[in-house]
Amino acid sequence: MLQVTRPSNGHVLARFDVCIDYRYRLTYEHEIRMSVDYAWCSRCNSFVEMERIWTESEIRSNTSNVLLSEWSGRQLETPTTARLNAALEWLQNRTAHPRCLSCGSVTATTRIPPNTESLHPNGDGIIRLSGDGVLGGTPTRYAPKHFAPGGMPIL
């Protein structure tokens, strides 16, 4: 878990589960993992998850399993060239700025830098985004949440 706290008193302002499986559905056959940043959304008036758009080098190197290797029978299959090409085409055609995953806004978000103290985006004191300090446990398994290539949720 990640949390936004007030360093002065330890008050937790927001918590985020980092194990949620967000994916872009590029085509019927191809999905890629969505990267997430944490932000303040002035439209939602709260701390939210927001898209972080992959870079070409992250897609090509498949860092963070961007291309979602697939389990096939008894072995893990490496991503196909078709999936790589679909991801690169998505990046080339992506024109929208990163969206708030709560309301879809591309203009109301202010990214919160991790592990540093910073001014609350609405001017309400100092905040810090960091891990919650709890070790151990098994992450909760969630069904993937799918988003269209432009970042809007697929219902």
Side-chain angles (χ1 to χ4, degrees):
M1 298 289 274
L2 286 178
Q3 60 187 18
V4 178
T5 58
R6 290 205 184 278
S8 60
N9 61 11
H11 182 76
V12 177
L13 303 174
R15 293 189 68 151
F16 300 101
D17 189 335
V18 297
C19 296
I20 296 177
D21 188 3
Y22 294 127
R23 300 177 181 195
Y24 293 107
R25 180 165 287 149
L26 305 180
T27 66
Y28 181 73
E29 308 142 336
H30 301 296
E31 296 178 355
I32 61 171
R33 188 173 311 286
M34 176 189 284
S35 184
V36 175
D37 275 334
Y38 302 92
W40 173 260
C41 179
S42 56
R43 183 185 288 171
C44 295
N45 198 33
S46 66
F47 292 100
V48 297
E49 294 173 306
M50 125 183 187
E51 291 179 284
R52 185 180 73 76
I53 306 298
W54 296 111
T55 65
E56 182 177 343
S57 64
E58 288 171 320
I59 292 171
R60 287 188 184 281
S61 66
N62 198 23
T63 56
S64 303
N65 194 23
V66 175
L67 300 174
L68 292 167
S69 299
E70 294 182 5
W71 183 257
S72 172
R74 296 185 185 153
Q75 65 183 14
L76 194 63
E77 292 184 356
T78 56
T80 62
T81 303
R83 181 168 289 158
L84 172 63
N85 290 338
L88 292 171
E89 183 179 340
W90 161 79
L91 180 62
Q92 182 180 9
N93 294 329
R94 176 66 191 247
T95 57
H97 293 287
R99 293 183 183 278
C100 168
L101 297 184
S102 294
C103 72
S105 174
V106 295
T107 59
T109 54
T110 304
R111 185 181 170 274
I112 307 297
N115 300 313
T116 59
E117 291 185 5
S118 57
L119 185 62
H120 190 301
N122 74 358
D124 187 23
I126 303 296
I127 59 168
R128 180 178 181 87
L129 171 66
S130 60
D132 66 1
V134 177
L135 297 175
T138 304
T140 304
R141 293 194 53 110
Y142 295 97
K145 293 185 179 183
H146 292 95
F147 292 79
M152 294 303 290
I154 298 173
L155 303 175

